[in-house]
Amino acid sequence: MEPEKPEQSEEEGFVHPDAAMDAALNWFFTLQAEPDDRQLRTAFEAWRQADAANARAFATVAEAWELPEMDVVAGEVAVRAGHVAPDRKPVAIDGRRPKRRGWNRAALAAAAAIVIAVGIQQYPALMLRWQADYITATGMRDEIMLPDGSRMVLNTASAVALDFEGGRRTVSLLGGEAFFNVVPDPARPFTVAAAFSSVEVKGTAFSVRTENDQDIVVLEHGHVDVTRQAAPVEKVALEPGESVKATETRFSAVEKTDAATALAWLKGRVIFRDRPFGDVVQEIGRYYSPPVIFANTRLRQMRINGNYRLDDPERAIRSLATAAGASVTRLPGGILILR
């Protein structure tokens, strides 16, 4: 088991190439965020003891950082702020006090990874709040009338900045997903700039979603031109019921898309057909803040169908788990373990 990573967003950011090390880094910061959660520590211990590679990875992280804020006490993690509880003596992961020694190559690599992870986990939310004109929390949606009369709907965990000065009609999608129903104005194009793409329209309805390493544009009606930020001369034209993905290096092929399914979130629903269980839980997890942990990795590959409300994502996850023959354990804080 390991704590589910945020949707980077998501906000998705650094992923260590070694799966065990990536999980160890994620546990490191999850435990620091919830220092008093004994159930979380129990889940951590289950993960650490499940595989020797997990224990080695976390020990490397602990050694590399020298854990000035975190001590491993009698097999459990105790997070502290410059002190140790008087009745507990900090020991190493294996119960022995570590020898101090110089940083080796692996330790330096782990330390660098931790520094990167700290920045990724702590700064994006602050930066979004500083830059955004509108922002939604996890599980929330918001409908906004823009200065030109166009309608914008922000999906869960999304943020935008507006520029309607001097005749401009520009929206920067800083994170998440947004739908736009644009008031026609041939003299003033309406532009949405995302991480890897820019969408220009005169008057139409479409959505833009930015995630880990791509933007996804879905056209409901009208016409849009999509360009890549890294190569503005590259352009893709979409017709109703089409979508395209843009990355830093390329466009995907234009695909036919069921707009009613892709935009079901506007009506507070999520619809999927023949999708892996893991992908569906990740999608619903955009609306559910606590981690969802797969204790049985085979569950991730099961193909399922469904149409669920998003106003109770935990109930949706539980219903999906039942359909897949899985059990759900709920830990304090809403952490769900599927097995």
Side-chain angles (χ1 to χ4, degrees), residues 32-48:
Q32 286 208 2
E34 300 290 343
D36 301 318
D37 192 330
R38 298 187 64 84
Q39 292 283 357
L40 183 62
R41 297 176 200 165
T42 299
F44 160 71
E45 278 299 316
W47 166 82
R48 188 176 67 84

Side-chain angles (χ1 to χ4, degrees), residues 5 26 38 56 188 242 296 308:
K5 297 178 180 63
N26 199 36
R38 298 187 64 84
R56 286 194 300 270
R188 294 194 303 155
E242 292 183 338
N296 181 347
Y308 289 89

Side-chain angles (χ1 to χ4, degrees), residues 39-277:
Q39 292 283 357
L40 183 62
R41 297 176 200 165
T42 299
F44 160 71
E45 278 299 316
W47 166 82
R48 188 176 67 84
Q49 295 174 18
D51 193 318
N54 295 346
R56 286 194 300 270
F58 195 84
T60 299
V61 171
E63 178 187 2
W65 206 246
E66 293 187 327
L67 292 183
E69 305 86 21
M70 177 184 289
D71 292 310
V72 178
V73 182
E76 72 175 5
V77 173
V79 179
R80 63 190 179 91
H83 69 276
V84 181
D87 59 338
R88 292 185 175 182
K89 183 178 180 181
V91 295
I93 292 290
D94 61 0
R96 295 170 296 178
R97 191 165 184 81
K99 296 179 180 179
R100 297 187 62 85
R101 57 187 178 185
W103 285 33
N104 57 30
R105 192 172 179 180
L108 287 171
I114 292 172
V115 171
I116 294 171
V118 167
I120 289 171
Q121 293 204 12
Q122 293 184 358
Y123 292 140
L126 295 175
M127 290 298 292
L128 280 180
R129 291 186 178 279
W130 179 65
Q131 294 175 319
D133 291 305
Y134 294 96
I135 191 167
T136 53
T138 299
M140 303 300 292
R141 294 186 304 278
D142 195 11
E143 182 172 335
I144 299 107
M145 294 302 295
L146 299 175
D148 68 334
S150 298
R151 183 172 69 99
M152 174 178 70
V153 183
L154 288 185
N155 201 359
T156 176
S158 302
V160 297
L162 308 183
D163 181 4
F164 279 72
E165 298 295 329
R168 291 184 293 275
R169 296 200 297 170
T170 302
V171 178
S172 295
L173 181 61
L174 305 175
E177 184 174 21
F179 173 83
F180 302 90
N181 195 341
V182 179
V183 171
D185 187 343
R188 294 194 303 155
F190 187 102
T191 302
V192 177
F196 304 102
S197 64
S198 181
V199 183
E200 183 174 299
V201 305
K202 299 290 194 302
T204 186
F206 64 100
S207 71
V208 183
R209 173 174 170 177
T210 186
E211 49 188 25
N212 297 345
D213 54 1
Q214 65 181 6
D215 297 338
I216 305 172
V217 182
V218 177
L219 180 61
E220 183 183 56
H221 66 76
H223 176 91
V224 300
D225 291 324
V226 186
T227 58
R228 286 199 309 109
Q229 297 282 18
V233 295
E234 296 184 23
K235 181 182 295 186
V236 170
L238 295 184
E239 298 301 326
E242 292 183 338
S243 67
V244 70
K245 299 175 183 177
T247 69
E248 187 175 5
T249 59
R250 59 184 290 272
F251 277 120
S252 71
V254 173
E255 298 179 353
K256 284 292 184 182
T257 300
D258 182 353
T261 297
L263 301 175
W265 62 269
L266 291 169
K267 298 181 179 180
R269 305 196 72 88
V270 59
I271 302 172
F272 44 89
R273 298 182 179 90
D274 194 31
R275 293 272 303 278
F277 187 27

